[in-house]
Amino acid sequence: MRCGTAFGGHMKRKIKNNVSWVGYIDWELKTFHGDDFSIMHGSSQNAYLIEEEKTVLIDTVWAPHRFEFVENLKKEIPLDKIDFVIANHGEIDHSGALTALLAEIPDVPLYCTANAVKSLEGQYGKRGWNFKVVKTGDSVDIGNGKKLIFIEMPMMHWPDSMATYMTGDNILFSNDAFGQHFAVEELFNDKADQCLLYKEAMKYYANILNPFSMMVGKKLPEIAAMNLPIDMIAPSHGVIWRENPLQIVNKYAEWCAAYKEDQVTVIYDTMWDGTAAIAHEIAREINRQSPDTVVKVLNIAKTDKNEIMTEVFKSKAIAVGSPTAENNILSTVAGWLTFLKALRFKNKKAAAFGCYGWSGEGVGILKNLLKDAGFTVIDEEVKSLWNPDDDDFRKVPALISSLLK
Ligand code: FEO
């Protein structure tokens, strides 16, 4: 864990009128959620300060940066000038500085959902914080004719999650929704490398939000029905969407509806390269039968697991291979399949393949685990005794034909 310069090297930065970013950009972060989410291009924890007639802080930063966060906030405003704090979500990457902040201003009203009271007290203990529980549609005046409207966002991605909408400036502070683990020093979407931005936004959705796609699919029309003009979406990670902000909302509408592209991903591990040989023959056969289909071949042991999940997210079908080892499948594949099940992909097909030397349970175990993970598993398989030979490879066209059907 690394403690760097407060605000990631910056003081507050205006994003619109009287609204500033006061977060933390971490270019050196390598993993998140412990080591469960890989970070390839840095990340940020975005907090925001509103200075209207009322002064409002929306979210804070991760606990390792809490003292620097508070010290730097003091350089911008006397802390007792803060009229209230909003905790859109209780997870430690956004609530981590509350303990240090509220030690200095213990009576400040803290607006959050009822579930956030549970998650905050569950993590930090009962500290007598001045909670103000809010529900969708509740609002608070901040002066100058503006107000903040709260929108509960349960399971996007915790039960306690909510968004806060600021009238007048038409900013949706969406917390984790619409975020990316992506460091962009210039803060805004139009300044970012667009290819990387969408790669990271999709990886974030596939690995964090996909299990809750049904809730995303219900929440988006609900927000639209509130008829709130949105000029800017300010999430708690990555870029602030100011240029065509609804582009990411439209992407979420696509992504939450059992998203797939014309892609098949072959995912495997191998002991002595027999299962690898089948994997590559499967890839070649996909290309023979469907030359326009994108094919990816990924060795689980050598590829970042979150990147593999993004490829699964894009795929209409996957083929998963493991040799039989100790009457089972390789531990790399078994662990990955546990993660696959957790992400609750829908409307995708799957096939299984692998080599064996004597007992040969591997392919059957793979099929059961893939079914259990919600995939439509085809009957065809390639199960090769010792190393695959021509007879085994002759089974590949039928497997691909069924997988592409
Ligand atoms: Fe970025 Fe769920 O915290």
Side-chain angles (χ1 to χ4, degrees):
M1 200 173 281
R2 188 183 69 89
C3 290
T5 311
F7 298 163
H10 292 274
M11 306 303 282
K12 77 173 184 182
R13 293 157 69 174
K14 176 175 159 175
I15 64 165
K16 190 174 184 187
N17 298 329
N18 298 320
V19 183
S20 303
W21 174 93
V22 289
Y24 188 97
I25 299 177
D26 194 336
W27 286 91
E28 297 180 17
L29 195 67
K30 292 297 170 202
T31 62
F32 205 73
H33 288 157
D35 286 332
D36 211 42
F37 190 103
S38 60
I39 304 284
M40 302 300 189
H41 305 285
S43 188
S44 65
Q45 300 123 47
N46 300 333
Y48 300 97
L49 186 67
I50 301 172
E51 295 170 278
E52 299 290 352
E53 286 175 48
K54 300 286 185 187
T55 301
V56 184
L57 177 69
I58 300 184
D59 293 321
T60 68
V61 298
W62 192 15
H65 314 307
R66 64 191 183 281
F67 297 119
E68 292 162 292
F69 175 79
V70 171
E71 287 310 307
N72 279 274
L73 206 52
K74 280 182 189 172
K75 291 174 190 160
E76 301 296 341
I77 46 161
L79 293 185
D80 60 10
K81 196 167 182 298
I82 297 175
D83 292 289
F84 47 89
V85 176
I86 292 170
N88 275 330
H89 174 34
E91 196 164 8
I92 194 169
D93 49 328
H94 310 299
S95 66
L98 284 177
T99 52
L101 179 68
L102 297 189
E104 306 229 15
I105 44 172
D107 298 325
V108 72
L110 178 57
Y111 286 75
C112 64
T113 64
N115 277 325
V117 176
K118 292 183 199 166
S119 64
L120 290 169
E121 289 193 335
Q123 294 173 98
Y124 304 112
K126 291 184 189 294
R127 294 173 179 243
W129 288 347
N130 184 14
F131 290 113
K132 303 289 180 194
V133 172
V134 294
K135 301 189 296 297
T136 296
D138 290 350
S139 65
V140 58
D141 282 317
I142 56 173
N144 298 327
K146 300 176 184 179
K147 61 181 178 177
L148 298 175
I149 301 171
F150 303 104
I151 306 165
E152 291 168 282
M153 307 266 275
M155 302 321 296
M156 288 177 73
H157 67 125
W158 273 20
D160 67 8
S161 301
M162 73 170 184
T164 299
Y165 176 80
M166 180 178 176
T167 66
D169 290 319
N170 303 338
I171 304 173
L172 181 69
F173 298 96
S174 60
N175 198 260
D176 283 328
F178 312 123
Q180 335 85 49
H181 284 302
F182 186 32
V184 174
E185 199 68 31
E186 301 83 5
L187 294 181
F188 296 104
N189 68 313
D190 48 292
K191 305 300 286 184
D193 176 319
Q194 298 300 297
C195 190
L196 276 183
L197 170 57
Y198 268 98
K199 181 176 164 53
E200 292 299 335
M202 180 182 273
K203 176 181 175 183
Y204 185 98
Y205 188 93
N207 284 271
I208 297 174
L209 286 162
N210 193 69
F212 312 113
S213 281
M214 193 181 290
M215 282 81 151
V216 176
K218 286 182 182 161
K219 184 52 69 173
L220 296 181
E222 201 182 304
I223 295 173
M226 294 175 82
N227 287 320
L228 303 170
I230 294 176
D231 294 342
M232 184 178 277
I233 296 178
S236 56
H237 299 289
V239 301
I240 297 165
W241 303 88
R242 71 175 173 186
E243 186 180 87
N244 183 16
L246 293 182
Q247 64 181 287
I248 189 63
V249 180
N250 294 335
K251 276 290 168 200
Y252 268 43
E254 278 181 50
W255 292 347
C256 73
Y259 183 76
K260 58 184 173 185
E261 299 175 11
D262 185 12
Q263 175 171 330
V264 179
T265 305
V266 185
I267 303 147
Y268 72 98
D269 196 3
T270 192
M271 290 175 77
W272 299 110
D273 287 341
T275 300
I278 303 171
H280 288 282
E281 180 56 23
I282 285 173
R284 283 188 290 270
E285 182 61 25
I286 296 166
N287 185 255
R288 280 182 211 114
Q289 293 191 23
S290 182
D292 289 334
T293 297
V294 173
V295 184
K296 300 278 174 74
V297 186
L298 304 173
N299 181 322
I300 288 174
K302 295 177 180 173
T303 313
D304 179 87
K305 68 178 184 297
N306 304 109
E307 300 287 333
I308 299 177
M309 290 311 179
T310 311
E311 298 303 331
V312 173
F313 180 68
K314 288 191 281 183
S315 298
K316 60 184 178 184
I318 60 173
V320 179
S322 171
T324 298
E326 330 298 3
N327 306 110
N328 211 312
I329 55 175
L330 290 177
S331 61
T332 46
V333 184
W336 180 82
L337 283 166
T338 299
F339 186 24
L340 185 76
K341 180 181 176 184
L343 294 185
R344 296 185 217 162
F345 292 108
K346 293 210 168 23
N347 200 24
K348 296 181 191 291
K349 294 174 89 173
F353 62 94
C355 294
Y356 67 103
W358 49 99
S359 59
E361 297 92 337
V363 168
I365 291 170
L366 283 175
K367 283 179 155 180
N368 286 336
L369 290 172
L370 285 164
K371 275 180 202 155
D372 196 35
F375 286 74
T376 303
V377 179
I378 62 169
D379 292 333
E380 291 82 356
E381 60 186 36
V382 179
K383 184 175 166 183
S384 174
L385 181 60
W386 301 111
N387 278 325
D389 57 17
D390 288 346
D391 283 343
D392 297 311
F393 287 146
R394 272 192 279 276
K395 295 174 189 159
V396 173
L399 179 143
I400 299 307
S401 172
S402 177
L403 203 57
L404 294 177
K405 209 181 284 171

